[in-house]
Amino acid sequence: MDWDQFDLNPKVIAALKKADIKSIKEILNLSGADLQRLMKLSSADIQCLLKTVSHMLRRNSMLTALQLYQDKDHLTSQNQKLSLGCSVLDNLLKGGIPLVGITEVAGESSAGKTQISLQLCLCVQYPYKYGGLESGAVYICTEDVFPSKRLQQVIDQQHKLRADVPAEVIQKIKFGNSIFVEHAADLDTFHNCITKRISLLLARGMVRLVVVDSIAALFRCEFGASDSVTKARYLQTFGAQLHSLSTRFRTPIVCINQVTDTVSDSEAAQCCCSVAGNRVSPALGITWANQLLMRLMVSRTPQPERPPGVMSHHTGSVRTLRVVFAPHLPPSFCYYTVKLEGVKGIK
Amino acid sequence: MQRDVGSLPLAPALRARLFTAGFQTVQELLETGPCGLSREIGISKEEALELLQVVRQECHGDVARTAAGSGASRKCTALELLEEEQAQGFIITFCSALDNILGGGVQLTKITEVCGAPGVGKTQLCMQLAVDVQIPECFGGVAGEAVFIDTEGSFIVDRVADIAAACVQHCHLIAEAHQEEDHLKALETFSVESILSHIYYFRCRDYIELLAQVYLLPDFLSEHSKVRLVVVDGIAFPFRHDFEDLSLRTRLLNGLAQQLIIIANDHKSAVVLTNQMTTRIGQSQSTLVPALGESWGHAATVRLIFHWDNSQRLATLYKSPSQKESTIPYHITVSISFGLEIASCKGIFRHIDKSVNDVFIVLPFSCLMNVTGNTGMSPGLLIFCTFSL
C-alpha cells in the first residue's frame, strides 16, 4: 500500500512504514490504543489517521433514498430485475428476480425447480427491454447430470413462450452458446468453482446469472449430526462468497434447495407447505436462510383455496409458486404449469 | 497550569520519557523551553517544539472549557437527567402494542437491537422507522432524518416509497379530521420525495467498510444535525464468516458498540441494529438465540426478539432498563382491500371517499381497532397499512 498518496502528516506516514502496516484492513483491525503503541503517536494523530483512512475507503458512498428511487439507469437501478419469461410469474415477484442477492427456490422433487432455472438461463440472454440482461448464465450441477435434452426442447420453443418478443430478436440469440455448465459434486470442487472459475466468467461479462442446482446436495452426505459446526461454517463461507460475487458484479444468484420434513410446528407454519399431509420446510436450516435475500417455494400439492375454474383449462398438474419471504414482497402465491415450451403461470 | 503531565494527549513513549526525567506539571514543561526539553529528555528540537505546541493548545482548551462551563466532565443531578429523559422524544412504530411495550416507541439516545429469524420483519421495521422518524412534530413525531447502513443489500427502495406514501396519506387524513393550521402547514413539506430525500443510504459490503463508515459517522452527523435515527441492517452479517480469530471479532464488535453508544448520546439519535438468530444446542433440545455471542448481548440497551408462533408473528421485549418483559403479536400489512368489515371501532374517524372506492380509516396513534376482512388480521396491531383499491 502506497501510503504517500494519502493526505497524511509525513510523521504519520513514516510511522506507518516503520511499523510495517501494509493495508487499510490492518489499521482498522487494531484498536486506537494498539495503534498508539505500535506507531508511537498521540491519540489525536491516530484519530486523524483513522478518519483519513476511512474517508479514503468510503468517499462518495452516500446516496439518498430519493436518488435510489429515481435512478433509471439500467446498470445501477434497483428497478432492474431478471424476468422469469412469464408475465404472471413476473407480477408475483414485482418484476422478477432482484439482481443483487441470493434467491432460493426450494421444493420437493419434480416440483419444477430445474425447469424454472432452465427458463431463467434463457431469459437472461434477452435484451434489457425484454427483461433480460444480455448475457449468459452459469449452471452448476451438484447432483444430477445437466438436462441438455430438455434445454434443447425449450430453446426450440422459445418463440412460443416469449410471444411478446419479435421473432427476429429470438432468432439472433444463440441460446446454447451462452450457458456454461459446471459440475461440482463435493465441497472442495464447489469452492474452487465459485472462487476461481465463476469469478473469471463474471469479470469478463460473459455471464450474468449463476444457478446452483442444488445447494443441499453438497451437504447431504458429508455431514453427520455431530458436524453441525463445520457444516455451518461451510454454509456461511459459501453464502458470503456467493453474496460478494453477486454484489460485485450485480448478478443474481439462484440456489435450488431441497426440502425436509419439519419436526416442530413453528418452522412449518412459516412455509405453509404440505406434501402428502407432512409439513415440509427447506433444508439446511437457519444458517443458510440467513444468507438469503428471497425465498421461493414450489410444490405440486393442490392448494385448498384454488378457484374451481383453474383446473379445467390445464392438463397436467397445476403447481404452486409461493413467496416465503422477501424484503419487497408480501407472502403470496400463484399457480403455474410446466409445458413443452417452459414454465407458464396461470392467472 | 498545574495540570498533570500524564493527562496530556501524547504518545506513550514520550510520556514515559517525561516521567523518568522528573516532569510532573505542565508549568514545569513550559518553563523549561524547547531547547532545555530536547536536552533533558533526549528528543530532537522539532519534537520538543511540537510537544510544547500540544501543551499550549491543551491549556488553552482547558481555559475555554472552564469558562463555558460545559464539557465531558460536566456534573449534573439525577433529577436533571430524569427531566431530560422525559422530554426525550420517541420514534413511533405505528403499531400501538409495540410502542406500548417499548414505553412509547424507539427511544432516542439508546441502542435498540432487533433480532429474529429470516423473513420475520426486521428490515420492514427498520424501513418503517426510517420513515416514521420524519413525521412532523405536530403529528407526534420527532421531525428528524435517518441514516440507513445496509450490509445485506435488503433495502428495496420501492417498498420504502410505499411505506412513505401510506404515512403521508395517514397524516393527511389526521389533518383533515382535526383541521388545524400547523398540521396543514407541516404537510406542505411532507411528501414521498421529501421523505426519501432525507434517508441517507450507505451500502457496506464487508466488515472493514462497516468499521470505516462508523468512524466517519460522527462527522457526518455533525454536518447533518437533523439526523435522529441510525439504522444498521444487519450487524451480524459481515461478522459471521471469515473470522478465524473470534477474539478479534469480539474486540471489533465491542469497539463498534462503544462508538455507536457515543454517537447515540452526542447526537441525540436512536441507533437501531438488526441481528440474526443462531441455534444453540442445549442438553436436551436446541433453541434459537441471537447471534454474535453472549458478550454482544451487553451492547444494546433494549433488545426486541421477533419470532413465530404457528403463523402468528410475535415480538418479545427481551431486555429493557425501564419496561417489563412482554410479548405482543403483530402483523405486516401491505394493503387493505375494499370489502373490509369494521367490527367495532372506538374513537376513530372513518372517511369514505366514494369517488375512488376506498375506505380510509384514520387511527389516532394509540387506539385499538377490530378489523376483520379477507386479510384475516386481528385487533389493532398493524405495523403499517397502505390503503388501495
Side-chain angles (χ1 to χ4, degrees):
Chain A
M1 171 70 68
D2 183 16
W3 297 117
D4 294 320
Q5 63 179 315
F6 283 66
D7 188 17
L8 288 168
N9 194 330
K11 156 180 92 166
V12 174
I13 298 183
L16 278 171
K17 291 185 181 162
K18 194 166 166 206
D20 200 24
I21 293 181
K22 294 198 186 63
S23 65
I24 299 185
K25 182 172 174 175
E26 273 183 53
I27 298 182
L28 290 174
N29 266 342
L30 292 166
S31 70
D34 285 334
L35 280 170
Q36 277 190 324
R37 268 190 295 270
L38 200 59
M39 304 205 322
K40 303 184 182 35
L41 292 171
S42 67
S43 65
D45 285 327
I46 297 294
Q47 286 305 314
C48 184
L49 168 67
L50 285 169
K51 288 217 171 113
T52 315
V53 151
S54 304
H55 196 73
M56 186 74 179
L57 200 60
R58 299 294 298 164
R59 57 179 160 204
N60 299 333
S61 61
M62 183 201 80
L63 289 172
T64 61
L66 188 64
Q67 285 170 322
L68 275 176
Y69 191 53
Q70 292 174 335
D71 186 357
K72 300 286 179 236
D73 182 354
H74 64 75
L75 287 172
T76 50
S77 167
Q78 270 195 4
N79 273 327
Q80 190 72 30
K81 295 205 170 68
L82 174 59
S83 154
L84 258 76
C86 163
S87 55
V88 175
L89 298 177
D90 283 343
N91 277 342
L92 177 74
L93 300 181
K94 290 215 179 126
I97 311 274
L99 296 189
V100 179
I102 305 178
T103 302
E104 180 188 88
V105 180
E108 76 265 21
S109 57
S110 79
K113 315 187 286 289
T114 307
Q115 302 301 316
I116 294 180
S117 35
L118 282 180
Q119 187 143 319
L120 280 170
C121 290
L122 299 177
C123 290
V124 71
Q125 303 184 40
Y126 284 89
Y128 286 107
K129 67 186 235 207
Y130 300 112
L133 298 174
E134 289 180 10
S135 193
V138 175
Y139 198 103
I140 308 179
C141 295
T142 62
E143 37 178 7
D144 293 328
V145 81
F146 181 73
S148 26
K149 255 210 290 199
R150 175 62 179 153
L151 178 67
Q152 201 48 54
Q153 260 182 357
V154 186
I155 290 178
D156 291 334
Q157 299 287 322
Q158 273 297 288
H159 58 277
K160 205 165 163 216
L161 178 74
R162 299 300 299 265
D164 54 314
V165 182
E168 59 270 10
V169 174
I170 301 186
Q171 269 168 0
K172 259 195 290 189
I173 308 177
K174 304 252 177 300
F175 290 106
N177 280 355
S178 312
I179 302 184
F180 300 87
V181 180
E182 295 272 345
H183 284 94
D186 59 68
L187 293 167
D188 292 320
T189 328
F190 186 72
H191 180 83
N192 201 23
C193 186
I194 55 179
T195 43
K196 300 199 179 68
R197 300 160 73 108
I198 295 197
S199 22
L200 207 58
L201 285 170
L202 286 166
R204 291 191 189 157
M206 294 160 75
V207 300
R208 277 198 75 190
L209 169 69
V210 179
V211 177
V212 182
D213 183 4
S214 62
I215 189 92
L218 288 169
F219 293 89
R220 285 243 123 136
C221 326
E222 296 201 27
F223 293 98
S226 52
D227 296 319
S228 52
V229 175
T230 338
K231 182 174 169 184
R233 213 148 23 123
Y234 269 110
L235 278 171
Q236 276 167 350
T237 314
F238 286 160
Q241 281 165 345
L242 288 171
H243 194 96
S244 100
L245 282 175
S246 178
T247 319
R248 258 200 328 203
F249 299 106
R250 266 181 81 81
T251 301
I253 312 251
V254 176
C255 288
I256 296 186
N257 198 3
Q258 293 156 356
V259 292
T260 58
D261 291 322
T262 48
V263 179
S264 71
D265 281 329
S266 52
E267 293 169 44
Q270 192 187 0
C271 303
C272 285
C273 210
S274 33
V275 177
N278 299 328
R279 301 289 203 87
V280 291
S281 71
L284 300 177
I286 199 171
T287 319
W288 177 245
N290 277 328
Q291 316 289 331
L292 304 171
L293 178 74
M294 183 161 93
R295 174 173 265 174
L296 304 170
M297 272 191 85
V298 292
S299 72
R300 283 183 88 118
T301 317
Q303 297 294 313
E305 317 97 58
R306 193 177 57 196
V310 171
M311 197 56 208
S312 49
H313 302 308
H314 297 93
T315 53
S317 63
V318 173
R319 302 158 200 225
T320 321
L321 174 67
R322 176 180 292 272
V323 175
V324 178
F325 63 76
H328 58 303
L329 301 172
S332 45
F333 65 92
C334 77
Y335 301 110
Y336 69 94
T337 51
V338 179
K339 304 184 125 153
L340 181 65
E341 65 265 22
V343 174
K344 274 188 115 148
I346 303 170
K347 241 191 272 279
Chain B
M1 281 314 193
Q2 290 304 335
R3 185 168 159 175
D4 189 30
V5 156
S7 67
L8 292 169
L10 300 169
L14 202 51
R15 242 198 308 247
R17 286 194 195 209
L18 287 171
F19 278 136
T20 27
F23 287 100
Q24 279 177 340
T25 65
V26 158
Q27 186 70 16
E28 292 170 14
L29 283 178
L30 289 172
E31 278 173 4
T32 319
C35 305
L37 259 180
S38 69
R39 241 187 337 222
E40 295 216 20
I41 317 178
I43 53 177
S44 71
K45 273 243 189 82
E46 292 85 32
E47 287 178 358
L49 276 168
E50 262 189 42
L51 169 60
L52 286 173
Q53 213 174 20
V54 168
V55 165
R56 283 200 196 94
Q57 259 179 359
E58 280 297 309
C59 293
H60 187 70
D62 278 344
V63 168
R65 248 176 288 165
T66 42
S70 64
S73 50
R74 176 179 66 125
K75 290 196 287 263
C76 60
T77 63
L79 180 64
E80 284 172 30
L81 282 177
L82 178 66
E83 283 168 2
E84 228 181 79
E85 242 186 61
Q86 282 177 339
Q88 211 72 267
F90 291 92
I91 305 176
I92 50 178
T93 62
F94 259 103
C95 174
S96 58
L98 191 58
D99 286 337
N100 278 340
I101 60 168
L102 287 173
V106 172
Q107 220 176 348
L108 297 180
T109 75
K110 303 270 189 294
I111 300 188
T112 305
E113 186 182 340
V114 179
C115 318
V120 77
K122 312 184 287 291
T123 307
Q124 298 296 308
L125 181 65
C126 292
M127 294 200 252
Q128 173 109 15
L129 288 171
V131 170
D132 289 345
V133 71
Q134 306 190 37
I135 296 176
E137 278 165 352
C138 52
F139 294 102
V142 292
E145 302 175 350
V147 164
F148 200 105
I149 301 179
D150 185 8
T151 60
E152 300 174 349
S154 51
F155 182 83
I156 308 281
V157 75
D158 286 334
R159 176 69 180 143
V160 183
D162 285 343
I163 297 178
C167 187
V168 168
Q169 213 168 34
H170 195 125
C171 291
H172 270 287
L173 293 171
I174 296 182
E176 269 173 51
H178 287 259
Q179 288 293 335
E180 275 172 41
E181 263 307 306
D182 48 350
H183 283 189
L184 298 163
K185 194 155 175 295
L187 279 178
E188 283 166 26
T189 46
F190 193 59
S191 67
V192 174
E193 280 82 26
S194 82
I195 296 179
L196 291 179
S197 66
H198 292 309
I199 301 181
Y200 304 108
Y201 175 75
F202 297 91
R203 174 84 167 92
C204 294
R205 294 179 291 183
D206 56 32
Y207 78 93
I208 297 289
E209 292 191 11
L210 179 62
L211 289 174
Q213 194 61 61
V214 175
Y215 276 121
L216 294 175
L217 260 188
D219 288 338
F220 184 83
L221 293 182
S222 311
E223 280 168 42
H224 297 85
S225 55
K226 286 188 75 185
V227 170
R228 287 284 167 274
L229 173 69
V230 175
V231 175
V232 182
D233 179 28
I235 193 93
F237 187 75
F239 284 101
R240 288 194 76 205
H241 64 92
D242 220 17
F243 270 96
E244 293 301 332
D245 181 9
L246 281 183
S247 58
L248 171 65
R249 183 178 94 169
T250 315
R251 186 162 51 70
L252 291 176
L253 282 171
N254 285 336
L256 202 58
Q258 274 183 330
Q259 285 175 306
L260 290 171
I261 292 177
I262 294 175
I263 289 173
N265 262 315
D266 286 349
H267 300 273
K268 287 213 175 358
S269 12
V271 174
V272 175
L273 312 171
T274 60
N275 197 0
Q276 295 171 349
M277 299 295 264
T278 182
T279 323
R280 178 196 284 156
I281 301 177
Q283 281 168 336
S284 54
Q285 53 170 2
S286 58
T287 48
L288 281 183
V289 295
L292 296 179
E294 288 290 339
S295 50
W296 178 249
H298 302 290
T301 319
V302 175
R303 213 173 208 191
L304 268 177
I305 300 194
F306 285 1
H307 54 112
W308 294 92
D309 176 23
N310 293 326
S311 43
Q312 173 65 56
R313 295 175 209 248
L314 298 173
T316 302
L317 184 68
Y318 190 71
K319 173 185 175 189
S320 165
S322 53
Q323 305 297 317
K324 73 174 170 94
E325 178 176 327
S326 38
T327 304
I328 51 116
Y330 71 94
H331 286 276
I332 302 179
T333 67
V334 175
S335 63
I336 303 177
S337 48
F338 188 55
L340 207 50
E341 295 153 36
I342 303 170
S344 78
C345 319
K346 300 180 201 171
I348 65 160
F349 302 92
R350 211 168 5 150
H351 168 80
I352 301 176
D353 188 337
K354 296 204 168 62
S355 60
V356 292
N357 259 346
D358 261 309
V359 177
F360 292 104
I361 304 158
V362 184
L363 331 152
F365 293 154
S366 59
C367 126
L368 290 174
M369 169 181 93
N370 279 328
V371 174
T372 56
N374 52 2
T375 51
M377 292 183 299
S378 61
L381 306 162
L382 310 161
I383 275 210
F384 214 89
C385 336
T386 58
F387 303 93
S388 62
L389 291 161

